[in-house]
Amino acid sequence: MKVWGAVICFVAALVVLINFGKLDTWYLVLSGILTLVFLVVLPVLVLRSLSEIKRLNISDKTYKDVIAEFTKARKKLLMLQQIGIYSSFVFLFAFLPVTSKILSDKDFFMMEKDAALYGFLAVAFIFLILFARWGYGCYRGITRSAENILKDLE
């Protein structure tokens, strides 16, 4: 499940990269760069952090060392998730003009805005808040259950 999110981000980044030439103003280029950074860097950092947790070797170390390493990796993962949550709001506003230009060849900032767009943004914002809370809760639950398993080994 975790890998699918990264794959979707990488595919979206590839689409933006292929169409980067369509971003013809400085602010669209800046939005495109922010979009690419978000779509590539954050998933890589999260996958690397998950890999650190997965690679913990409980047979080579003392119980105390494993718990210390796990706690450090868990804090790092949850911090990355929090950074992802807050940066996703910036991402929403960077991704929107990039998507508009790539899909319809219209400059989002020069378009006439109607009530439907503002309604869409409100719904997207609410969905983003709910999805971010749900995703963070899932990561907390996963790491909590792993922590409980480690504590049970004591």
Side-chain angles (χ1 to χ4, degrees), residues 16 20 23 26-41 91 94 98:
V16 171
F20 202 80
L23 307 177
W26 69 268
Y27 49 86
L28 287 174
V29 169
L30 180 63
S31 293
I33 291 169
L34 286 173
T35 298
L36 286 171
V37 167
F38 185 88
L39 289 172
V40 174
V41 173
F91 171 71
V98 171

Side-chain angles (χ1 to χ4, degrees), residues 39-146:
L39 289 172
V40 174
V41 173
L42 195 61
V44 166
L45 292 175
V46 169
L47 288 174
R48 186 178 296 159
S49 185
L50 286 170
S51 177
E52 286 176 22
I53 290 175
K54 227 176 174 178
R55 285 187 312 222
L56 282 176
N57 192 346
I58 60 174
S59 62
D60 289 349
K61 298 178 178 145
T62 66
Y63 172 73
K64 183 179 175 182
D65 291 340
V66 171
I67 290 293
E69 283 184 35
F70 174 78
T71 302
K72 182 181 171 186
R74 179 179 190 251
K75 284 181 182 178
K76 181 181 175 184
L77 174 66
L78 293 178
M79 181 191 68
L80 283 171
Q81 289 301 311
Q82 288 174 344
I83 290 169
I85 289 169
Y86 296 121
S87 62
S88 64
F89 295 102
V90 174
F91 171 71
L92 176 66
F93 292 105
F95 187 67
L96 200 58
V98 171
T99 308
S100 173
K101 187 67 175 178
I102 289 172
L103 296 180
S104 67
D105 200 31
K106 293 182 181 176
D107 188 333
F108 177 79
F109 297 107
M110 299 298 171
M111 292 178 4
E112 263 190 54
K113 316 290 188 292
D114 59 355
L117 175 65
Y118 294 116
F120 169 77
L121 287 175
V123 169
F125 197 75
I126 291 168
F127 176 76
L128 186 59
I129 291 170
L130 295 174
F131 186 74
R133 289 187 58 166
W134 171 78
Y136 184 74
C138 287
Y139 277 102
R140 279 185 47 198
I142 290 168
T143 58
R144 191 176 300 128
S145 66

